[in-house]
Amino acid sequence: MALKLATREYGDGPPLIILHGLFGSAQNWHSMAERLAATYHVVTCDLRNHGASPWSEQMTFPEMADDLETLIEARGLSPASVLGHSVGGKTAMLTALKHSDLVERLIVVDIAPVDYEAPFLAYVRAMQAVDLAAATRRSAIDEQLAEVVPDAATRLFLLQNLIERDGRADWRINLAAIAANMDRLLGFPDVAQFGYDGRALFLSGAESDYIAPRYYGRIFELFPQAEFARIDDAGHYPHVEQPERFLASVVDFLESAYA
């Protein structure tokens, strides 16, 4: 069953929907959305089991694509440009493939329609293992995570999900559901019967291999009008690491699409 996603809205103009990645939220895209709102009606979404959106035990890409489809139709945003990062990018791709009439332009950030191996399940287990009841300081939780997640920037990103609930620290994301569906989230569903002929930009960090050249063939099979852009001095989060270059790439693509 489709869920009603929590959203934030900015500006006026052609609709542009933004989907964050795993462990993220719409808040991560606030600054970028404000910049894009000068030209577009930007809608940033919390994916299911993230941010302020509802929780569900089910978290497959077909279900998340249904969430996005429902949002577009309920808000009268069709056809929209859709930008998705990582897991949000896979959700955006599947929505475009299944419902090409709803997605006018597609921007996929540092992800491809393929299966991956990644340490994300270990991150979830580390977060679940934190003794939140005993932790009185954020730094103490960070120290516990460091045993499994050595990169400080990654820990800072995960800790954005730490909130106060009923007077105690808690995680605002549904860790149990994310863990149970991790195999599906690292994969991509069978889409042999679908296709998307609209324009699609695959935008990656030059230091990331999530959109490696070996995946280009698969991308072109599903998205024959695919275009590629790489941002120097950036990894899996080019919108954070190089925001000006990222914004320029997105705007160039959208402006050329509407020309």
Side-chain angles (χ1 to χ4, degrees), residues 17-38:
I17 300 171
I18 298 179
L19 305 176
H20 63 80
L22 193 63
F23 306 118
S25 71
Q27 175 62 31
N28 300 142
W29 287 86
H30 174 71
S31 296
M32 193 64 61
E34 285 193 318
R35 302 280 296 277
L36 289 163

Side-chain angles (χ1 to χ4, degrees), residues 98-195:
K98 292 178 65 178
H99 306 286
S100 59
D101 57 314
L102 300 182
V103 180
E104 185 173 26
R105 304 286 184 263
L106 178 66
I107 302 173
V108 180
V109 183
D110 215 59
I111 204 73
V114 299
D115 297 348
Y116 292 94
E117 293 183 6
F120 299 142
L121 183 57
Y123 296 171
V124 174
R125 297 303 187 204
M127 295 168 77
Q128 290 175 313
V130 171
D131 187 353
L132 293 174
T136 58
R137 294 175 294 109
R138 187 184 184 91
S139 59
I141 298 174
D142 182 67
E143 290 173 4
Q144 293 183 58
L145 287 178
E147 298 176 8
V148 177
V149 188
D151 181 66
T154 301
R155 293 198 307 276
L156 180 62
F157 179 64
L158 298 177
L159 285 167
Q160 292 181 30
N161 290 293
L162 191 64
I163 62 170
E164 182 177 316
R165 181 179 285 132
D166 299 327
R168 55 160 287 180
D170 201 359
W171 300 110
R172 69 174 175 178
I173 56 176
N174 189 347
L175 293 172
I178 293 171
N181 290 278
M182 187 59 74
D183 286 347
R184 297 178 181 90
L185 296 175
L186 291 175
F188 195 72
D190 180 9
V191 290
Q193 71 273 39
F194 301 119

